[in-house]
């Protein structure tokens, strides 16, 4: 282990070969979970600390070059993230719903992204937790406001042809004052501070305040995006809502799925023609009561559905990536809507009572006789007690099943490991009853691995014999979470790993694939069958520490 920026970290994954995918030039590494995995020893890393808040998952990152579109890896994996805050029509970063199968993921404005990103301009409005929106964002004064709309845009070559809509509104006698470089037909109000006068084609950080001041002088603001793309909702809408005027919105076709307050904006797409829109804007302009009806929402709490959708995705993008990577690496549940790690639905912890496993499954043993199955009385090697003992990470629990045949169990990285070894004169069957009463039929992935799963969880069993050959053919399953394993030899050595996880429910079809966590934990058993049994050997008095150490050195080649 090593220390990374004063945080002691284990080097578990840092020796992995960095992926060689090439999308953009040399994507830097992005770190996922770093409480017990360092993922880096580089000195140029930094801890994430968005908004001066400590992330609940310790994580670090190499500095990114950033940009409108950039890519980074989750360190220690070949998981490639593409990030963008722009719409997919202008910068072609379109979320491919099958990209996850290639270990490619997204952090864009699309809510189909693994890490959705929202414009920070929404934060101030959506974090009004005391009082009502009108307390902080009051409506414009109908009497004093200019009876028309403002328009601010630099790009006159938009993909949704917003400038043509502006022209047609002007032709239909709607007053539209365009105060930026696109279709400029008016000068900024004289009351504005001189430093903001002139061309408003300045970077957003320098003229956001001015934009709000301009909007507040008009009954409406044309909040027109540069493209019509689902979920692509920028500062054009959020800033207009905060300014106190009424947004006339052109942009995301699925704006209705974003749960904005009722009558908080006028949607251009609700009108069949621009002329029809123009007539309605003139009607609202001349009717104070109708106009004020678009500000009633300011006197009420914001819709809970809007808060639930946006608060989880506002800011702290790095921390959310850390959570996501941690959940994916360790087979944990992931709530996409809340961007939070979920507790595992089924128990992972291994517990024994009177020598028999009681979690994550109830263990029973049976003998296959001529007249059917007969239950076996199992003699525990442990002291007689009725208490349940868990946390088997440091100690192996061994039980004699019959004659010279024994079963050992211990825990490892959230899995339960079982070693079956010895000789028996009986035809034995191990039965494991898992707390999964409703599940799909037993699925055999390969010669080593089978699983059962329901809509939330997956229980995988990886089984190999002494030579590392798959032994999954010995496993069968009935309904209601029962899995049985038949011992088909009088003398055998079998290694069995139980892997319990909440699988990916965000990606379509993911329930048909082996997860990263399942693959890593399964490969550990399949690739290192001799090392698997070393821990259990420590309970055998005939095996000295030096003999065990020699076995490890022989296997690893010193």
């Amino acid at each position: 282990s090593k220390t990374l920026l004063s945080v002691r970290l284990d080097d578990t994954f840092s020796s992995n070969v960095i992926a060689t995918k090439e999308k953009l030039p040399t994507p830097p590494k992005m770190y996922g979970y770093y409480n017990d995995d360092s993922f880096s020893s580089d000195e140029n890393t930094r801890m994430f600390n968005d908004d001066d808040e400590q992330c609940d998952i310790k994580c670090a990152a190499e500095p990114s070059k950033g940009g409108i579109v950039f890519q980074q890896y989750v360190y220690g994996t070949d998981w490639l993230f593409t990030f963008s805050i722009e719409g997919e029509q202008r910068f072609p970063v379109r979320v491919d719903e099958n990209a996850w199968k290639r270990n490619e993921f997204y952090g864009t404005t699309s809510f189909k992204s693994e890490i959705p990103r929202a414009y920070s301009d929404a934060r101030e409005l959506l974090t009004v937790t005391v009082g009502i929106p009108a307390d902080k964002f009051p409506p414009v004064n109908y009497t004093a406001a200019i009876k028309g709309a403002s328009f601010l845009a630099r790009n006159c070559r938009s993909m949704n042809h917003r400038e043509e809509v502006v022209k047609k509104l002007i032709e239909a006698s709607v007053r539209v004052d365009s105060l930026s470089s696109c279709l400029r037909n008016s000068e900024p109000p004289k009351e504005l501070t001189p430093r903001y006068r002139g061309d408003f084609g300045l970077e957003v950080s320098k003229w956001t305040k001015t934009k709000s001041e301009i909007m507040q002088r008009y009954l409406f603001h044309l909040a027109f995006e540069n493209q019509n793309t689902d979920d692509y909702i920028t500062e054009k809408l959020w800033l207009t809502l905060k300014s106190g005027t009424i947004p006339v919105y052109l942009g995301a076709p699925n704006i209705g799925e974003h749960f904005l307050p009722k009558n908080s904006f006028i949607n251009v797409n609700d009108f069949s023609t621009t002329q029809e829109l123009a007539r309605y804007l003139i009607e609202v302009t001349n009717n104070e009561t109708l106009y004020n009806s678009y500000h009633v929402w300011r006197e009420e709490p914001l819709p809970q559905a809007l808060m639930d959708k946006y608060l989880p995705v506002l800011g702290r993008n790095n921390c959310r990536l850390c959570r996501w990577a941690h959940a994916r690496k360790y087979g944990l549940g992931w709530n996409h809507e809340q961007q939070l790690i979920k507790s595992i639905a089924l128990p992972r912890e291994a517990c024994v009572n009177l020598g028999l496993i009681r979690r994550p499954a109830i263990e029973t043993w049976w003998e296959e006789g001529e007249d059917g199955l007969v239950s076996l009385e199992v003699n525990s090697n442990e002291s007689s007690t009725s208490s349940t003992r868990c946390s088997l990470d440091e100690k192996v629990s061994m039980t004699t099943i019959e004659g010279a045949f024994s079963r050992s169990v211990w825990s490892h990285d959230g899995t339960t490991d079982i070693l079956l070894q010895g000789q028996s004169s009986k035809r034995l069957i191990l039965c494991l009853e898992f707390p999964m009463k409703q599940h799909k039929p037993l699925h055999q992935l390969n010669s080593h691995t089978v699983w059962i799963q329901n809509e939330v969880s997956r229980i995988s069993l990886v089984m190999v014999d002494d030579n590392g050959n798959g032994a999954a053919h010995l496993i069968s399953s009935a309904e209601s979470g029962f899995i049985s394993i038949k011992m088909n030899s009088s003398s055998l050595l079998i290694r069995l790993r139980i892997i319990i996880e909440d699988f990916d429910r965000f990606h379509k079809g993911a329930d048909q694939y082996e997860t990263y966590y399942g693959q890593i934990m399964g490969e550990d058993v399949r690739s290192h069958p001799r090392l698997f049994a070393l821990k259990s050997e420590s309970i055998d008095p005939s095996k000295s520490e030096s003999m065990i150490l020699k076995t490890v050195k022989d296997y690893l080649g010193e």
Side-chain angles (χ1 to χ4, degrees), residues 50-104:
D50 296 319
D51 301 329
D52 295 324
E53 296 181 30
Q54 188 63 42
C55 184
D56 49 0
I57 298 294
K58 287 186 175 67
C59 49
E62 289 183 350
S64 167
K65 296 179 181 179
I68 295 175
V69 178
F70 63 98
Q71 293 181 310
Q72 289 182 299
Y73 285 107
V74 173
Y75 195 97
T77 73
D78 64 347
W79 303 347
L80 179 63
F81 261 88
T82 299
F83 295 95
S84 174
I85 199 67
E86 269 292 347
E88 62 185 33
Q89 294 184 32
R90 184 178 180 188
F91 294 91
V93 181
R94 182 167 299 178
V95 175
D96 178 356
E97 295 187 9
N98 291 311
W100 64 272
K101 299 176 184 178
R102 304 186 298 271
N103 287 329
E104 297 174 8

Side-chain angles (χ1 to χ4, degrees), residues 3-54:
T3 299
L4 174 62
L5 299 178
S6 301
V7 180
R8 188 175 183 276
L9 301 165
D10 186 321
D11 204 18
T12 306
F13 286 89
S14 62
S15 62
N16 287 13
V17 176
I18 300 303
T20 57
K21 292 182 180 178
E22 292 186 3
K23 294 293 184 180
L24 297 179
T26 317
K29 297 181 285 289
M30 169 68 78
Y31 299 93
Y33 169 64
Y34 322 111
N35 187 16
D36 63 352
D37 318 329
S38 83
F39 294 78
S40 175
S41 59
D42 300 338
E43 294 181 357
N44 64 340
T45 57
R46 61 181 174 82
M47 294 303 294
F48 287 145
N49 194 15
D50 296 319
D51 301 329
D52 295 324
E53 296 181 30
Q54 188 63 42

Side-chain angles (χ1 to χ4, degrees), residues 55 59 99 173 207 252 271 309 318 349-350 396 411-412 419 457 466-467 488 495 510 528 534 544 552 558:
C55 184
C59 49
S173 301
W207 69 313
F271 300 87
K309 188 177 185 74
N318 292 331
E349 186 179 36
V396 175
S411 297
H412 169 67
L419 182 68
S457 304
D466 190 29
N467 297 315
N488 64 352
R495 299 159 182 84
H528 308 97
L534 286 179
S544 67
V552 176
E558 296 295 321

Side-chain angles (χ1 to χ4, degrees), residues 30 74 81-85 95 105-118 312-326 334-336 338-340 506-507:
M30 169 68 78
V74 173
F81 261 88
T82 299
F83 295 95
S84 174
I85 199 67
V95 175
F105 308 97
Y106 299 90
T108 73
T109 57
S110 171
F111 278 78
K112 294 179 181 179
S113 294
E114 285 74 16
I115 308 295
R117 306 176 71 193
V313 302
L314 282 173
R316 306 198 72 188
N317 298 318
N318 292 331
C319 182
R320 291 188 288 124
L321 175 60
C322 291
R323 292 174 184 156
W324 179 90
H326 177 48
W334 176 250
N335 187 316
H336 177 74
Q338 297 179 3
Q339 295 283 285
L340 291 173
F506 175 64
H507 298 112

